[in-house]
């Protein structure tokens, strides 16, 4: 990967984010209802509504509102929450870190478990191991988050078998053990589906690499099987898997919204639902833009990791 390639990718991300800001602002502008009316209530007078619209800047032309919003975002000012009367950066910031903890734990667990399962299925291709891992993958892929979450709650958080709490949140700074107990079920719900995707991808790529000429040549040279797998096969099989993981981050961000609502996890998904219900436009805009930034940066990171794993990309 050259510096020019990296700069081109950063430029593409900047263009994508510019388009996202325009799309997010346009969508929030066409949402039904009036933000001033939502704040003051249906019995508000025309004068009070007009005063509130002036206070919120809603009486200005749309392009002026868009320019002011983008200018504020570039300076870290997302405005004030219309419902909570708090800075949006504070509201979204707290929720962002709660969601980030959940997503990182789910992704780390998936990576640690799914990659070895995919490798094992490829090495034991056609065996009972391969069949069992494949069956689990299909089951994991077929079940949506709310079904997986319900099953986990019944099995592990029922009144008769309360191994984990059914919902809620404890900050790591307050109690690490309490945090881990509360994060286990939401992270497992998110991870089971991603695990199915990634393990199947690793199995497919690993099977193809193990049948390639350079792996056969390494075996004919008398290299030990462990060295052939770890040095010659796995790095080549991992590059496509990393691309799938980066794409699954988009799925992870979407799944978080459902999972956080089920488990009462105070993250961005739950905050977004609250903001949509109350037409809190600044919060909706900030969360949507934050999700887009996270997705764009995760794709950039995957490009860097793929270049590190695959010399053909590194020297392109």
């Amino acid at each position: 990967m050259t510096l020019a390639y990296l700069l081109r990718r950063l430029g593409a991300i900047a263009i994508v984010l510019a388009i996202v800001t325009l799309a997010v602002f346009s969508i929030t502008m066409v949402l039904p209802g009036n933000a001033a009316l939502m704040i003051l209530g249906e019995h508000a007078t025309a004068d009070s509504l007009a005063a509130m619209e002036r206070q919120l800047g809603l009486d200005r032309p749309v392009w002026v509102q868009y320019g002011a919003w983008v200018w504020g975002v570039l300076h870290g000012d997302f405005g004030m929450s219309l419902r909570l009367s708090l800075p949006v950066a504070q509201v979204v910031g707290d929720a962002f870190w709660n969601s980030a903890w959940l997503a990182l734990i789910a992704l780390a667990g998936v990576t640690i478990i799914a990659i070895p399962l995919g490798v094992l299925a490829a090495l034991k291709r056609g065996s009972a191991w391969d069949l069992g891992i494949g069956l689990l993958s299909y089951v994991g892929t077929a079940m949506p988050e709310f079904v997986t979450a319900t099953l986990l709650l019944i099995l592990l958080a029922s009144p008769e078998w309360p191994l984990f709490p059914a919902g809620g949140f404890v900050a790591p700074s307050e109690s690490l053990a309490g945090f881990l107990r509360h994060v286990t079920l939401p992270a497992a719900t998110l991870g089971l589906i991603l695990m199915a995707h990634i393990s199947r991808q690793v199995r497919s790529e690993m099977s193809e690499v193990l049948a390639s000429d350079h792996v056969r040549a390494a075996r004919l040279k008398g290299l030990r099987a462990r060295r052939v797998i770890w040095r010659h096969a796995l790095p080549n099989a991992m590059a496509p898997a990393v691309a799938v993981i980066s794409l699954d981050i988009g799925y992870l961000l979407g799944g978080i919204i459902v999972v956080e609502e089920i488990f009462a996890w105070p993250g961005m998904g739950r905050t977004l639902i609250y903001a949509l219900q109350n037409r809190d436009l600044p919060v909706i805009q900030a969360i949507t833009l934050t999700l887009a930034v996270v997705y764009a940066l995760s794709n950039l990171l995957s490009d860097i990791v793929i270049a590190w794993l695959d010399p053909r990309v590194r020297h392109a």
Side-chain angles (χ1 to χ4, degrees), residues 131-191:
L131 180 63
I133 294 171
L135 182 62
L136 288 176
S137 299
Y138 287 129
V139 171
T141 306
M143 289 197 302
E145 292 94 348
F146 68 89
V147 175
T148 305
T150 304
L151 287 175
L152 290 177
L153 286 171
I154 292 173
L155 294 174
L156 302 174
S158 63
E160 298 79 16
W161 196 250
L163 289 179
F164 298 98
F169 173 79
V170 174
S173 58
E174 296 177 8
S175 169
L176 182 59
F179 170 76
L180 292 175
R181 291 189 71 242
H182 283 80
V183 80
T184 299
L185 293 186
T189 302
L190 287 169

Side-chain angles (χ1 to χ4, degrees), residues 16 66 72 86 95 132 141 144 147 153 242 249 273 308:
V16 168
Y66 173 71
L86 292 171
T141 306
V147 175
L153 286 171
V242 170
I249 288 177
I273 292 175
W308 176 65

Side-chain angles (χ1 to χ4, degrees), residues 59-265:
D59 59 334
R60 297 176 296 176
V62 174
W63 62 272
V64 174
Q65 295 181 47
Y66 173 71
W69 177 65
V70 172
W71 182 256
V73 168
L74 292 175
H75 291 79
D77 180 11
F78 290 87
M80 295 289 290
S81 167
L82 302 181
R83 275 292 176 183
L84 302 175
S85 298
L86 292 171
V88 172
Q90 179 183 340
V91 175
V92 177
D94 294 341
F96 171 79
W97 288 114
N98 294 340
S99 292
W101 277 113
L102 175 58
L104 287 175
I105 290 175
L107 199 59
V110 165
T111 305
I112 292 171
I113 297 173
I115 292 177
L117 284 179
V119 172
L120 179 62
L123 294 175
K124 304 289 185 182
R125 191 174 182 179
S127 68
W129 282 102
D130 186 21
L131 180 63
I133 294 171
L135 182 62
L136 288 176
S137 299
Y138 287 129
V139 171
T141 306
M143 289 197 302
E145 292 94 348
F146 68 89
V147 175
T148 305
T150 304
L151 287 175
L152 290 177
L153 286 171
I154 292 173
L155 294 174
L156 302 174
S158 63
E160 298 79 16
W161 196 250
L163 289 179
F164 298 98
F169 173 79
V170 174
S173 58
E174 296 177 8
S175 169
L176 182 59
F179 170 76
L180 292 175
R181 291 189 71 242
H182 283 80
V183 80
T184 299
L185 293 186
T189 302
L190 287 169
L192 282 174
I193 297 175
L194 295 181
M195 195 181 301
H197 290 168
I198 296 172
S199 64
R200 295 300 299 172
Q201 182 66 34
V202 172
R203 178 197 178 278
S204 174
E205 295 297 331
M206 193 71 180
S207 299
E208 186 176 334
V209 172
L210 287 174
S212 62
D213 291 339
H214 77 278
V215 170
R216 283 201 296 269
R219 285 172 171 161
L220 290 174
K221 287 179 181 177
L223 297 180
R224 289 184 300 175
R226 180 176 299 181
R227 180 175 175 79
V228 171
I229 293 170
W230 286 98
R231 180 67 182 86
H232 297 278
L234 190 56
N236 289 291
M238 282 304 301
V242 170
V244 171
I245 292 173
S246 68
L247 293 175
D248 276 346
I249 288 177
Y251 174 83
L252 183 66
L253 296 176
I256 272 181
I257 297 175
V258 177
V259 172
E260 287 183 350
E261 186 64 17
I262 293 174
F263 290 100
W265 187 268

Side-chain angles (χ1 to χ4, degrees), residues 266-290:
M268 285 201 301
R270 204 155 186 244
T271 305
L272 179 60
I273 292 175
Y274 173 82
L276 287 169
Q277 291 172 338
N278 293 278
R279 208 172 188 275
D280 199 338
L281 299 183
V283 174
I284 297 172
Q285 293 165 342
I287 290 179
T288 310
L289 185 59
T290 302

